[in-house]
Structure formats: structure tokens, C-alpha cells
Amino acid sequence: MMKAQFFGRAYIRGFSTLEMLIAVSVLLLGMTAALLMQFGAQAAAVDAQIQMQALARAASVLDRARVVAAQDVVGVIATSSVWSVGGQTYVQTISVAHKTQCRTQATSSVFWQNSPVRPQRVELSRVFIDIERMLSLGRDCITDVSPWEGLHARSVNTIDAGVPTALDVLNGLVYGGGTASPYFFILDTTTSADKSANELVSFENGFNAGAAINALDATALRSHEGVLRHYVFAAMEATTSQMTVIDVTSPKKPTTVAVRTLNNVSPVGSEPAGHRLYYFADRLYVLTRYTAGPELHTFDVSNPEDPVELGGGVELGVTVNGIAVQERFIEGVSRRFAYLATSQAAGELKVYDVTDPLRVGAATEVLEARQDLPGIQNGLSVYPLGNRLYVGRASTPPGADLYVYDTTNPPQGLALVGGHDIGTGVETVLVVGDFAFLSTPKSKKELQVWDIRSDPIALVAEYALPGSVAGGLEYEDGFLFVTAQSDASVHTFVGY
């Protein structure tokens, strides 16, 4: 060890080994920090470059989904792929959620891993609103999605048309049919934002539909003069004049603008009355129960005030309790299919091709898509959403009461996605977002909400109504509208 040496008044000190080690350590720490900073900057630059590549890929896939959606939003399907760039492996996925018949959300995600402890991910989402389908449904299509973890009863409004039989909602107005004069009612729900002060519209012109309405469909369509007007198509409880068109542009002064008798239906047959109907893209599909003559009738309603029946009707040989129509692109060709919930023991679900290019009211059964469900209970309801079809039937103890099918290509058959035991019949099914709303005949459980994200699906809430649901369920702007028979009222619910 060096020692201090004295030269006169001054001392000269040397460096000990410890001091030298400390100095070297400090130097090394500084150099290490500098290197770490440099390497960190390089790693950050590499991360940024990889992230930009992943982001560009996610955006590109989402953009391709947009192109597909412009032609057929149902054609946007979930996919997964693996790709590599510069030695870096990425996993690309696109998930698709059809929230309503007119609203689809696609999410494009890219995953990669720079090291075992550094997983990375970028994600982009886009919502597609299917304007063409909205117009095909007469602008009567849900575009908003609200959470439904439970039910709050908001209001109850007594109607003045006897026992309610039919229901539809469009732009805040609830349209309904009943068993007593005037057989038709309109409920205005726009008077309060929370739907707590709905008002029954009084008809200033003394309007009367003339007969009970078994089903109706509210639409916003162009008149022959090109003016946007609101029309209600109604299936009437009558042996003739089974279809009526009501102009409801002025809610206080509804007017019957057309009445039609169904071709080749015997007025003295067992069930000649109008029973169900469905509007889709300038066509109105009207059904009777099983009767003497054709049960399915197709009208050209491109001029809503002058509907023309195409052809002489199609004999189905069954009663159709529920109908929905959907267009699908099959091998690049647009085709139209009608899904029917029927009374046939060996065909509770039947599918018909109603594309009808010659405009003669043609309808051909797609035999590959017919479903013979266990038991003999009737099919009661259908609801298409994206490439899924929800089918309700009369209670089948034990067994499923709600079925879900894949409708990607009906001519190749319908693949069963799942069957669920609800514990009661499913008279109406309506799917919005992640939830299925069901009306059932079960006492004190007439209205039910099920979470369809889980497998099996899970009951979220149930609500007792005074008597069975009449006329189905309708949803708009976060509110659910239901009619009940015993109190002849419209019940309004909001989710929470």
C-alpha cells in the first residue's frame, strides 16, 4: 500500500487499490448506462417498426372487410392466419359480431412476441351499418345496442282496441292491432326521453281498421310520387280482404289506402284469414293458416298504395307461425330465402327460395335446409341475425326449445350451432347485441332475457306480465316494448 510522504509542508497522497476499483466501477456503470440507453433506443425503434407493420396489417384486413361488407355484411366472417416479416411471426385474427340485423362490428387483431416475457398486440375495430338491409326492411331496423343485465319497468299504457294481437315500433311510435273496434292503435313514446309519459294517440278522423289485425309491419317507404311516407301493412282476421295498407304518416289521421283479397283462397275454407306477414325489399309476404288454397302470397309493394299480388299463391300445406326473409350471396349470386316456423311435425323449420326473378310469386322449398326437430311440437318463431338463425318452438320437455342454426349457405343445409332448454315454449325471439329477448307462455315468466355469449346460454332476467304476450316483442333506442293480453296494455322496459 502506498503511504503518504512528507516533503516540507506538503503531503503527496497515492491511490489505494480500493479507490482504483471504485473509480473503475463508476466508469463501468456509466458506460453500461450509456450502452443500455443506446440499446434501449434501438429496441424501441425496432418495437415501433414492428408495431407499425402490425398496425398496417390490421388496418388492411379491416379495410378488406369493409369492401366485403359493402356488398354483403353477412359475408364478413371470422378468420385467423399466421404470417412472417423479417423473421418476426405474427398471428392475425378478425372477429365479427352481428349486433343487430343492420349493425355489425368487426375487430382486427395482430399478436406477436419479441421475447417470452414481452407479448405484444394491436387491435382496430369498425362498425358497419347495413344501409341496404335497413332500406329492405322499410327502415325498420335496429342500429343501437344497449346493455341488458336486467329489466326495469318504465311504463304501462292501456290501449283502446280490445285485447292486443300485433305490435311494431318505428321512430318512437308503437303500432298495434286489437280484437275490438277500432282494431288499431298508435302509442306515441316521443313525449318523454325516458318513455315514462307515453301517450295513446286519439284518431281525429275516427279511423277504424274494420276487423281484428293478426299481424302488422310498420315501414317508411317512398310513395308512387317519391315522397317518404309511413305505411303499416296488416294481416286481417277476415275471409276476404285479408291484407290492408294503412298510411300512418299523420298519426292522428291514419287512412286505409289499399285493401287486397288473397288470390285463390276459399273464403269458406277452414282458415282463410290473414295470419302472418313480412315486408322485405318491395315485397310483402302474406300468410294464412293451413287452409283451402295457397297459404303463401307475395305482393309487389313498390307502390305501397297499389299492391299487386304476384301469381296465384303457393300451397305450403302447413300453418306458418313465424316468418323472416333474408338475402344471401351464394357463389356471388344474390338469393332471397324465407325462413318459416311451421306446424309440420317433420318440418318445424322450413326454408324457401323466394328470389323469384320472373316476378311470378314463385317459392321453392330448399329441402336440404328443412329441419325435423325432436318431438311433434310446433315451430313458433324465427329471427335471423347475420349468419345465425334463432328458432323458437312449443315447449318440448325434456329437450331444447330454442335452436340456433348457421345459415351461411342454405342450399347446402343448415348446420346446428346449438339447442337450449328454456323450460317453456318460445313464442317470440328477438336478438339484440349479446342478448336474446323471449316471450313465453310460462306464468310469471312471460318475458325473459338470456345472455347468448355463454355456452350454454344463461338466464339474465325474467319478468311477470299480466297474461301471455300478444303480438311479440319490439326493441328501439334501448327500450323494449311488449303487449300483454290480460290488462290490454303496452309495457315499456329499459335495461340496466
Side-chain angles (χ1 to χ4, degrees):
M1 182 177 188
M2 295 183 65
K3 295 186 178 180
Q5 299 181 42
F6 180 75
F7 292 92
R9 297 185 190 181
Y11 285 90
I12 300 177
R13 297 184 58 89
F15 291 93
S16 70
T17 301
L18 179 60
E19 290 171 326
M20 291 180 66
L21 289 174
I22 292 173
V24 170
S25 298
V26 171
L27 178 62
L28 289 174
L29 285 172
M31 293 177 64
T32 302
L35 288 172
L36 287 174
M37 290 180 63
Q38 183 178 1
F39 291 150
Q42 291 177 345
V46 172
D47 279 355
Q49 182 179 3
I50 293 175
Q51 189 172 36
M52 289 300 294
Q53 290 174 345
L55 193 62
R57 180 70 177 225
S60 174
V61 171
L62 204 57
D63 194 53
R64 289 199 297 271
R66 177 189 59 80
V67 174
V68 173
Q71 182 183 49
D72 177 20
V73 72
V74 179
V76 182
I77 59 176
T79 60
S80 178
S81 61
V82 179
W83 51 285
S84 298
V85 175
Q88 179 66 57
T89 300
Y90 303 84
V91 177
Q92 165 79 57
T93 66
I94 182 167
S95 60
V96 180
H98 296 286
K99 298 296 186 180
T100 75
Q101 291 184 332
C102 295
R103 179 189 178 101
T104 297
Q105 180 173 323
T107 301
S108 177
S109 304
V110 177
F111 306 85
W112 72 98
Q113 199 158 351
N114 291 337
S115 72
V117 294
R118 294 181 62 208
Q120 304 288 317
R121 171 179 177 173
V122 295
E123 188 173 273
L124 297 174
S125 291
R126 184 164 187 166
V127 172
F128 303 111
I129 301 298
D130 191 343
I131 301 299
E132 183 175 353
R133 181 167 180 82
M134 183 185 298
L135 296 176
S136 295
L137 292 170
R139 294 176 172 81
D140 184 13
C141 194
I142 302 166
T143 57
D144 69 296
V145 178
S146 301
W148 283 82
E149 301 300 335
L151 289 173
H152 276 317
R154 180 63 74 205
S155 62
V156 179
N157 296 93
T158 302
I159 68 170
D160 60 355
V163 176
T165 55
L167 183 71
D168 202 0
V169 181
L170 182 62
N171 296 339
L173 295 178
V174 178
Y175 301 97
T179 59
S181 180
Y183 305 105
F184 182 65
F185 67 88
I186 301 176
L187 184 68
D188 187 352
T189 72
T190 65
T191 54
S192 60
D194 64 355
K195 313 299 184 188
S196 62
N198 303 335
E199 294 182 358
L200 192 66
V201 176
S202 177
F203 299 148
E204 295 178 352
N205 61 350
F207 175 78
N208 192 303
I213 297 175
N214 289 325
L216 54 77
D217 201 348
T219 61
L221 304 172
R222 297 286 177 183
S223 68
H224 188 58
E225 294 79 18
V227 178
L228 185 65
R229 303 186 69 82
H230 288 190
Y231 297 97
V232 169
F233 298 103
M236 310 301 294
E237 181 61 35
T239 58
T240 61
S241 303
Q242 296 101 325
M243 194 276 285
T244 295
V245 185
I246 306 170
D247 186 333
V248 291
T249 307
S250 175
K252 294 185 177 181
K253 297 179 180 180
T255 305
T256 298
V257 294
V259 176
R260 295 293 183 270
T261 295
L262 303 180
N263 287 345
N264 300 319
V265 175
S266 172
V268 296
S270 57
E271 298 282 358
H275 178 53
R276 295 289 182 264
L277 52 71
Y278 196 92
Y279 171 85
F280 191 89
D282 291 339
R283 295 289 183 273
L284 183 69
Y285 302 91
V286 183
L287 293 139
T288 68
R289 297 178 180 86
Y290 177 44
T291 191
E295 290 83 14
L296 173 62
H297 301 261
T298 304
F299 285 84
D300 179 345
V301 290
S302 53
N303 178 2
E305 299 184 14
D306 187 20
V308 177
E309 183 168 355
L310 303 176
V314 176
E315 291 199 23
L316 304 178
V318 296
T319 293
V320 174
N321 297 309
I323 176 175
V325 179
Q326 186 182 49
E327 281 188 349
R328 303 304 309 268
F329 277 82
I330 308 296
E331 298 179 353
V333 178
S334 178
R335 296 174 65 178
R336 186 177 298 187
F337 299 97
Y339 304 108
L340 309 178
T342 83
S343 62
Q344 184 171 322
E348 293 86 354
L349 172 62
K350 304 180 77 172
V351 181
Y352 279 75
D353 187 329
V354 292
T355 308
D356 191 26
L358 300 180
R359 300 166 59 85
V360 294
T364 304
E365 185 180 359
V366 182
L367 294 174
E368 297 82 355
R370 181 190 292 187
Q371 301 298 311
D372 181 8
L373 305 180
I376 61 172
Q377 287 78 7
N378 289 350
L380 297 179
S381 54
V382 290
Y383 191 84
L385 182 61
N387 58 0
R388 295 287 186 267
L389 179 69
Y390 296 82
V391 182
R393 69 180 306 193
S395 182
T396 315
D401 313 296
L402 177 66
Y403 293 82
V404 186
Y405 291 94
D406 186 329
T407 60
T408 299
N409 192 337
Q412 292 185 359
L414 306 183
L416 179 64
V417 177
H420 308 282
D421 188 354
I422 304 301
T424 181
V426 179
E427 295 177 331
T428 310
V429 55
L430 169 67
V431 182
V432 181
D434 300 320
F435 301 95
F437 303 92
L438 310 179
S439 69
T440 82
K442 195 167 188 176
S443 177
K444 302 187 184 304
K445 297 181 179 181
E446 290 86 358
L447 175 60
Q448 301 184 15
V449 183
W450 290 77
D451 187 336
I452 59 175
R453 292 170 294 185
S454 58
D455 187 17
I457 63 176
L459 181 64
V460 174
E462 53 191 13
Y463 200 88
L465 292 171
S468 60
V469 173
L473 312 172
E474 289 294 328
Y475 175 100
E476 187 177 73
D477 296 336
F479 293 89
L480 187 70
F481 302 91
V482 187
T483 53
Q485 290 184 339
S486 294
D487 65 350
S489 295
V490 176
H491 295 249
T492 304
F493 296 87
V494 64
Y496 64 85

